[in-house]
Amino acid sequence: MNSTAHPLSHPDGTPVRVLVVDDEPDLAEVLAGVLGYEGWQVRTAGDVAGAVAEARTFRPDAVVLDVMLPDGDGLAVLRELRAEQPDVCVLFLTARDSVEDRIAGITAGGDDYVTKPFSLEEVLARLRGLLRRAGMTRARDDAAVLTVGDLVMDEDAREVTRGGEAVDLSPTEFELLRYLMRNPRRVLSKGQILDRVWSYDFGGQAHIVELYISYLRRKIDAGREPMIHTVRGAGYVLKAAPW
């Protein structure tokens, strides 16, 4: 009936350091909050000059980097980063979504590419994957596994089981369940869920949350003691079922 999560850290236990570079202050703040909640140290910058200065003092393990900046482009930042920290992980974040732009970013040395609008959980998952593949970090307890009662999620394998039985989820259902499992016994409002699971500037209505909660209930709770509960007027909460 316990719940556990395993954030990434350096092998010596010190937090992961991430630099967020974007000229949209609200977006940078949202990303910093999400990454900070992960237990990571985060700094932000809004232009090329600020990003290069922060990188030299902060020495980030990973950089979330907007391609279009007011005093240049992210490729200039990337070249500076690679010159001083060849192993830093770089996740491009941009509104440019053409194949040519993607190729240019990756060819320049970027490790991954996410286009706006995006899911905040997707950005977090991409960063975790980059850091793991780079061998910079370890997961506490050596596993990226979330457990709430008899519900288990392997984040790396993207597998979910309840009571030992596999549960097949769509990508959006998986991200929604991940958010619920990262916050067991905490009431999450529809607004919070929209912000974290859907695009940061998603223009949809709260009914999309209700719809996907109903999908999850059919797969997670069907024929079993319910784990996903509605708190009238407040939101939803995931709690371990008695077993």
Side-chain angles (χ1 to χ4, degrees), residues 18 35 40 62 64 91 123-132:
V18 182
L35 302 179
W40 298 349
V64 180
L91 174 66
V123 171
L124 179 57
R126 297 283 187 100
L127 283 174
R128 289 171 64 92
L130 290 179
L131 290 163
R132 285 179 181 279

Side-chain angles (χ1 to χ4, degrees), residues 20-34 64 66-68 92-96 114-124 190-204:
V20 176
V21 184
D22 198 290
D23 63 347
E24 297 180 53
D26 290 344
L27 173 56
E29 182 180 350
V30 168
L31 281 169
V34 170
V64 180
D66 191 0
V67 171
M68 302 176 67
F92 276 122
L93 187 69
T94 181
R96 296 177 176 176
V114 177
T115 57
K116 301 177 182 178
F118 55 82
S119 159
L120 295 171
E121 286 291 341
E122 179 186 6
V123 171
L124 179 57
K190 293 175 184 177
Q192 287 175 309
I193 293 172
L194 276 173
D195 287 342
R196 282 298 297 267
V197 178
W198 280 267
S199 306
Y200 75 95
D201 61 351
F202 180 72

Side-chain angles (χ1 to χ4, degrees), residues 133-198:
R133 289 195 294 274
M136 293 184 183
T137 59
R138 65 170 174 83
R140 296 168 198 170
D141 298 331
D142 299 317
V145 175
L146 302 174
T147 304
V148 180
D150 63 345
L151 183 64
V152 179
M153 171 182 285
D154 185 324
E155 295 184 278
D156 285 346
R158 297 187 72 82
E159 295 175 348
V160 175
T161 61
R162 180 163 184 197
E165 296 182 8
V167 180
D168 185 29
L169 299 177
S170 71
T172 301
E173 291 166 350
F174 185 91
E175 299 302 342
L176 174 55
L177 182 61
R178 189 206 316 248
Y179 185 41
L180 293 173
M181 292 185 71
R182 283 176 176 269
N183 297 276
R185 304 189 66 83
R186 177 185 171 195
V187 178
L188 301 171
S189 70
K190 293 175 184 177
Q192 287 175 309
I193 293 172
L194 276 173
D195 287 342
R196 282 298 297 267
V197 178
W198 280 267

